[in-house]
Structures are given as structure tokens and as C-alpha cells.
Amino acid sequence: MNQMNQSAENIRNPKLVEAMRQVARHDSDETRSRLAAALMDSRLLSPIEQQTVLTEKSGPSRRIRFMDIQNTEGEKYYLAFTDLDEYAKWNDEEKNNQALIMTLEDFGNILIRNINDLKGFVINPYGENISISKSLLLSLLKQREAKMNARHGN
């Protein structure tokens, strides 16, 4: 995970965007598995807020908080953007200029580690608007791990 800087401009996910559009046009097992495969290789931008937390023992420490969004049912999701253009649609008032570059594993880690009611993450909420639930994410990561182990003969 790294801070938003020059490298954020290089974040483009044409394969993922195309796969999301295919699912939107025709939702099938095939389009979904293409989407899953594209997700595996994607690096996404996720907006964060830096907070300074005062602790008695060690003084101020920096904490980051991932921003989230609520759907009409009141369920919360972390935000993920395929590129700066999609990021800008959410950040239209340019209030938030910090993001981390995240992989599927990174999202898995924060969703597992953070004890909260977040349901997963949503990609391009103002574009393709595809949400990846926590359970789907975990099963994708398990599949990937199984493939890796098979490849290395573990």
C-alpha cells in the first residue's frame, strides 16, 4: 500500500473496467469469472483520511481511516476506484486528496482485520458501481491461494 503520488496517475485498469461493463451487459458465470480474474491483477485507489491520535504513552501517532460509502439499504462499503477519473467523480469538491493503492489482498486484510459492519468494497460507485462482498472477496483470495499452492506443489 503506498501513498497517492505520481504512481496514482499510472493506475489504470482497462481490463477490469471492461470486465465490469460485460457483467453489467450480461450477468453470467462467464462474465463474473472474467471479472474475478481481472480483479486479481488490479491495483485500485482507495481514499483515506489521516488522523493524528494522541496516546498517553507514545504521544501522537498517525492512523489512517479508509473512507466508506453507504448504499440505499444503509450498508457500508469501502471505496475503490479504477483510475483518477473515477476517483474525481467521488471527490468532486476535491476535499480528499489522499488515497492508497490497493490490491485484492489489501482489501481482504482490512476487511478481515477491522471489526466493523462493512460489507465489502465497491468499485467505481459513480461509474460501473460493482460491489464485492466480504465473502466473495475471501473466496477469491482462497482460490488464488489454492492455485499458488498447486503451482508450487505444496
Side-chain angles (χ1 to χ4, degrees):
M1 294 194 286
N2 48 14
Q3 294 292 328
M4 188 143 129
N5 49 27
Q6 288 313 102
S7 56
E9 290 166 21
N10 304 330
I11 298 288
R12 301 241 188 300
N13 291 278
K15 268 168 56 185
L16 178 60
V17 171
E18 183 49 39
M20 290 194 293
R21 288 180 182 153
Q22 284 175 356
V23 168
R25 279 196 298 268
H26 180 69
D27 191 344
S28 69
D29 288 346
E30 191 188 333
T31 55
R32 281 176 176 263
S33 73
R34 259 188 236 141
L35 173 64
L39 251 181
M40 294 292 191
D41 301 328
S42 301
R43 293 163 73 231
L44 299 162
L45 296 168
S46 193
I48 55 162
E49 229 178 32
Q50 293 217 10
Q51 299 167 322
T52 302
V53 185
L54 287 172
T55 55
E56 271 181 38
K57 291 192 178 77
S58 51
S61 71
R62 311 277 300 150
R63 276 234 313 261
I64 60 168
R65 189 178 79 82
F66 287 88
M67 312 293 277
D68 57 59
I69 194 168
Q70 235 173 327
N71 67 12
T72 45
E73 286 82 52
E75 297 169 330
K76 288 183 188 168
Y77 290 85
Y78 288 118
L79 291 151
F81 299 99
T82 51
D83 50 62
L84 281 175
D85 293 341
E86 285 296 329
Y87 184 87
K89 290 179 190 175
W90 169 78
N91 192 32
D92 58 346
E93 293 168 17
E94 297 187 13
K95 283 197 178 94
N96 191 296
N97 61 353
Q98 290 184 306
L100 292 180
I101 295 170
M102 305 276 285
T103 62
L104 211 57
E105 274 91 348
D106 293 329
F107 278 111
N109 290 336
I110 62 169
L111 279 159
I112 295 161
R113 199 179 57 222
N114 290 352
I115 312 296
N116 57 29
D117 55 352
L118 270 81
K119 299 280 182 235
F121 67 97
V122 60
I123 309 169
N124 295 354
Y126 299 101
E128 290 74 24
N129 190 26
I130 293 223
S131 36
I132 306 295
S133 68
K134 198 188 272 196
S135 55
L136 174 60
L137 175 61
L138 296 179
S139 90
L140 289 175
L141 291 171
K142 277 204 184 88
Q143 283 169 36
R144 174 189 228 165
E145 204 177 303
K147 272 193 192 125
M148 299 282 223
N149 291 342
R151 215 174 289 150
H152 297 111
N154 290 350

